[in-house]
Amino acid sequence: MAIAVSVTAQEKTVMHSKNSAISLVVQNNEAGNVQYSITYNGEPVILPSGTGFVFNKPSLRLDSFETIGIDSSANDETWEPVWGEVKSIRNSYKELTYAMADKKGSGIRVNLIFRVFDDGVGFRYEFPQQEKLGHFIIGDELTGFQLTADHTAFWIPGDYDSNEYLYNTTRLSAVDATKAAAKEPDIALKSLYGPDAVQTPLLLKTDKGIYINIHEAALVNYPVMQLNLDKAHLLLSSHLVPDAAGNKAYLQTPFKTPWRTIIVSNKATDLLASKMILNLNEPSVISDPSWIKPQKFIGMWWEMHVGKATWPKAGGKHGANTGNVMKYIDFAAANGFDGVLVEGWNEGWEDWFGNWKENVFDFVTPYPDYNIDSLSAYAKKKGVRLIMHHETSGSVTNYERHMDTAYRFMLEHGINTVKTGYVGRIIPRGEYHDGQWMVNHFQRVTDKTAHYKIMVDSHESVRPTGLHRTYPNWLASEAARGNEFNNAPALGLRPEHETILPFTRLMGGPMDYTPGYFHFQLNQFDSTRKTRIRTTLAKQLALFVTMYSPLQMAGDLPENYEQFPDAFQFIKDVPVDWDDTKILSAEPGDYVVIARKAKGRADWFAGAVTDENSRSVEFDFNFLDPGYNYQAIIYKDAENANWETNPAAYAIEKKTVTNKTKLSVKLAKGGGAAIALTRLASQGKRR
Ligand code: NOJ
Ligand code: CA
């Protein structure tokens, strides 16, 4: 379906989604600006909002357009992700292209491409190859999101360097990024740029109960889009993260910006189930992905966070020594984990923190007490893989100089997964974590690791935008406040945190959240510590299901798992790759209940998490195969459990259930429940 029509100024183009729920209207206003608006079931969601750019080179403002042509098409395809929450994904949309030329006489051409899905709209700018524009520098993007009212917003402060904030839930008119950030002394590196600034994914809820998620898809060769908020007009505008010189992006035609995404639903569950962001990304570039494997692992890691051991060798408590890591390998092998992450294995940690030293790590020199040759042989014998750690301490140019050697060194030792880290200010100096330069760094890491057949888990990185469709070797990133932040002295997490993350940060892609803590007061090795985990034990189990990731690191120490072997069984059993996912019920800030079907198996796993309030949730098992009994093992909060005073109290119950069963489970304050469902022989038949 392709139609080309010519339009007169101010003519409206309307496009309805295939299910008619979403309508997009595009129109030139009197000044020639192309404006878009969106309605959901007839209800305005985005009022006419502007488009355009300011260029620093050539110097011009591109915001008044002549429409040269309008084209439309439609697509409906189904594709299979290499790994994911579901086995196959339907990508069905209508597309509208506005071909435009600068009305002010530069002759520059730009296309605006919209895709209208049943669950939202994505749009991007395309600068085609053209004589009048070759190299150019973006000074600003003028995309607006004109909201209809003072919605409830789930937001973190706009910040060029950190996305590890707690979420704030306020009316838009009450957003104050400066004030919110001032309450967060644990965030060491802040680059705030104003009180009326928030990051994406941003979740909004209207008073009529419509959920709106604003984010971006396919962030390639461009800075992260954050949002400025004009409170008087309830207008959000794109705010691109600048570079050291204040420019936003250095580009060359032909070029396509990332997609600006607006997902809309009146059901919180449907918002969580949206695959729009993945669908807007390009298909995988990795033709043979057989080496890419979702993984459940443990880490020689929390020891350092809680003060049992240290990353540096100096000081006499070096964690990554050969004997200690052998114990982790033994524990991983005995309990069916795929891997063991080892931090602090390489020379340099004595100098790593401080933001100014450039060549601290070379990524190939183990400390003398870490015998990587014998450990990799031992791991191989035990059927476990070591996971490499590359902390760059923000010295990114140094990392780039060493990448090839470092990746070859990994492969020589049978290691094909790397956790990267970017703590501190970025070197080259003046670059920000979320600028174009770093986005391109992550691209270089992704390309190079793909070349070497290495999987990546990035910390302190740009938040994901669905690029894992295109580069399925980039399995997960941190890029938000993880469970490990409970060990930060001031604030830690809030029990509601994990009920907001799925609606915000996780909309772009998986997070290395490190679920699974069984020990709550973090003063086991350092009695001065006041830090603690702010959930119940049952909720830690549920997080393996509710916080989707193909990489799940069971965060706690082996000795803490050994205290609760029956609860640990759930962590041993829960898979990390799925054929199907059902969002059973959810409300941002309150609760999330999800069930997932294990990849290639008939078994299901379910999880429910709540905020600081106790509540009962219902698991309606109508998704189970009819005619079968399932054995349900239910890991739930004990009657007297609560996150604050009795977090480790849980109960395990076994039941036979069918697709007719509705099970109500009470969650404690800050609590949760996890259920393993194994399909038994069909009723009347033997399996
Ligand atoms: C911060 C990461 O998030 C954490 O997981 C890691 O242990 C430290 N940096 C050290 O690299
Ligand atoms: Ca971190």
Side-chain angles (χ1 to χ4, degrees), residues 8-314:
T8 53
Q10 293 182 53
E11 190 172 327
K12 249 189 205 179
T13 309
V14 183
M15 185 172 260
H16 303 290
S17 62
K18 293 181 182 177
N19 67 355
S20 303
I22 306 269
S23 300
L24 167 77
V25 177
V26 184
Q27 185 176 28
N28 285 63
N29 72 3
E30 273 162 31
N33 190 237
V34 174
Q35 310 236 311
Y36 75 97
S37 55
I38 298 171
T39 61
Y40 175 72
N41 291 331
E43 185 77 32
V45 170
I46 303 287
L47 298 173
S49 301
T51 57
F53 292 92
V54 175
F55 287 2
N56 287 352
K57 256 194 181 64
S59 168
L60 62 94
R61 193 179 169 91
L62 196 63
D63 62 352
S64 164
F65 305 102
E66 195 179 334
T67 307
I68 315 171
I70 299 178
D71 207 355
S72 72
S73 62
N75 188 26
D76 190 354
E77 67 189 359
T78 297
W79 57 281
E80 292 200 356
V82 175
W83 42 262
E85 295 177 272
V86 293
K87 194 174 180 198
S88 69
I89 294 176
R90 185 162 175 200
N91 183 16
S92 174
Y93 60 85
K94 291 195 210 165
E95 183 170 292
L96 176 70
T97 302
Y98 256 61
M100 315 182 300
D102 180 14
K103 218 175 173 178
K104 293 175 198 153
S106 71
I108 291 173
R109 285 185 292 118
V110 55
N111 301 329
L112 201 45
I113 304 169
F114 294 91
R115 286 192 184 164
V116 182
F117 295 80
D118 285 351
D119 52 353
V121 174
F123 64 94
R124 71 173 358 162
Y125 303 86
E126 177 185 32
F127 294 97
Q129 186 103 43
Q130 53 191 293
E131 255 174 44
K132 299 278 168 57
L133 192 66
H135 293 264
F136 60 114
I137 300 176
I138 301 277
D140 240 322
E141 182 185 316
L142 304 175
T143 304
F145 306 86
Q146 177 60 62
L147 305 174
T148 57
D150 192 9
H151 306 317
T152 300
F154 298 78
W155 58 274
I156 58 173
D159 186 318
Y160 300 151
D161 270 317
S162 184
N163 42 33
E164 300 196 357
Y165 289 95
L166 281 172
Y167 280 86
N168 300 275
T169 308
T170 69
R171 293 279 172 179
L172 282 161
S173 57
V175 165
D176 189 335
T178 316
K179 214 160 130 191
K183 291 189 197 139
E184 298 257 29
D186 293 324
I187 295 179
L189 175 58
K190 291 179 194 152
S191 297
L192 301 162
Y193 57 90
D196 302 327
V198 296
Q199 299 194 39
T200 78
L202 172 71
L203 178 73
L204 303 170
K205 186 181 180 187
T206 74
D207 287 350
K208 290 189 178 153
I210 299 174
Y211 302 86
I212 306 165
N213 180 285
I214 300 179
H215 189 39
E216 61 182 315
L219 172 60
V220 176
N221 190 21
Y222 204 74
V224 163
M225 177 183 73
Q226 302 196 3
L227 297 169
N228 282 339
L229 168 63
D230 171 349
K231 286 183 195 149
H233 301 99
L234 298 169
L235 170 67
L236 294 164
S237 318
S238 61
H239 180 102
L240 303 181
V241 173
D243 76 343
N247 292 317
K248 303 295 172 71
Y250 301 79
L251 303 172
Q252 194 181 347
T253 55
F255 180 78
K256 292 176 183 157
T257 69
W259 296 92
R260 279 60 190 97
T261 61
I262 301 153
I263 302 172
V264 189
S265 182
N266 57 6
K267 290 203 188 93
T269 48
D270 286 354
L271 194 101
L272 289 186
S274 173
K275 295 286 172 281
M276 194 182 96
I277 288 176
L278 267 181
N279 278 330
L280 286 168
N281 277 271
E282 298 299 318
S284 173
V285 296
I286 297 175
S287 50
D288 172 17
S290 55
W291 51 276
I292 299 174
K293 300 260 189 281
Q295 298 163 52
K296 194 164 50 176
F297 61 103
I298 54 168
M300 220 301 301
W301 168 80
W302 197 230
E303 288 200 7
M304 284 84 95
H305 285 264
V306 295
K308 181 181 179 187
T310 57
W311 283 274
K313 172 128 182 12

Side-chain angles (χ1 to χ4, degrees), residues 164 301 305 311 343 349 352 389 391 419 423 459-460 478 484:
E164 300 196 357
W301 168 80
H305 285 264
W311 283 274
E343 296 201 358
W349 286 89
W352 82 291
H389 184 225
E391 173 57 65
K419 170 179 170 181
V423 168
H459 275 230
E460 296 83 45
E478 179 187 42
E484 67 182 42

Side-chain angles (χ1 to χ4, degrees), residues 286-479:
I286 297 175
S287 50
D288 172 17
S290 55
W291 51 276
I292 299 174
K293 300 260 189 281
Q295 298 163 52
K296 194 164 50 176
F297 61 103
I298 54 168
M300 220 301 301
W301 168 80
W302 197 230
E303 288 200 7
M304 284 84 95
H305 285 264
V306 295
K308 181 181 179 187
T310 57
W311 283 274
K313 172 128 182 12
K317 284 208 303 185
H318 185 217
N321 63 72
T322 306
N324 200 16
V325 173
M326 278 176 86
K327 284 190 215 147
Y328 275 83
I329 294 171
D330 290 341
F331 185 82
N335 294 291
F337 287 96
D338 303 300
V340 176
L341 165 74
V342 183
E343 296 201 358
W345 66 277
N346 55 331
E347 298 266 7
W349 286 89
E350 284 74 12
D351 276 332
W352 82 291
F353 207 82
N355 292 334
W356 60 274
K357 291 182 183 165
E358 260 184 62
N359 301 316
V360 169
F361 296 110
D362 69 7
F363 310 97
V364 292
T365 309
Y367 278 121
D369 61 343
Y370 186 72
N371 189 332
I372 192 166
D373 294 320
S374 74
L375 282 167
S376 29
Y378 188 67
K380 189 169 180 198
K381 196 176 90 190
K382 292 273 185 162
V384 171
R385 276 192 194 254
L386 294 174
I387 295 178
M388 179 50 86
H389 184 225
H390 289 165
E391 173 57 65
T392 67
S393 63
S395 184
V396 183
T397 33
N398 178 54
Y399 187 44
E400 294 202 349
R401 280 195 294 277
H402 289 93
M403 272 190 316
D404 279 288
T405 326
Y407 297 148
R408 284 195 208 111
F409 178 84
M410 282 174 60
L411 295 183
E412 281 159 21
H413 293 92
I415 305 174
N416 69 345
T417 305
V418 62
K419 170 179 170 181
T420 58
Y422 297 86
V423 168
R425 287 213 183 275
I426 299 299
I427 294 175
R429 295 184 166 80
E431 294 300 338
Y432 295 112
H433 279 75
D434 279 358
Q436 183 195 24
W437 196 87
M438 278 304 282
V439 168
N440 287 344
H441 167 73
F442 292 112
Q443 183 73 47
R444 291 191 281 274
V445 170
T446 308
D447 291 341
K448 220 170 248 308
T449 48
H451 170 78
Y452 287 108
K453 301 199 168 145
I454 286 172
M455 293 167 273
V456 181
D457 169 16
S458 57
H459 275 230
E460 296 83 45
S461 56
V462 165
R463 80 281 188 277
T465 57
L467 277 173
H468 52 291
R469 176 179 181 188
T470 316
Y471 307 99
N473 67 315
W474 190 356
L475 289 174
S477 27
E478 179 187 42

Side-chain angles (χ1 to χ4, degrees), residues 580 582 584 595-598 601-606 619-633 655-663 675-680 683:
D580 202 1
K582 306 277 179 204
L584 302 182
R596 303 189 196 271
K597 183 169 178 285
R601 286 162 51 190
D603 305 331
W604 287 75
F605 291 78
F619 293 90
D620 181 343
F621 291 129
N622 61 11
F623 51 84
L624 296 176
D625 291 340
Y628 284 90
N629 284 329
Y630 287 74
Q631 184 204 50
I633 307 179
K655 265 202 170 124
T656 302
V657 302
T658 70
N659 71 328
K660 304 263 172 359
T661 310
K662 291 184 171 59
L663 182 75
I675 306 179
L677 295 146
T678 309
R679 198 175 79 177
L680 304 173
Q683 292 156 13

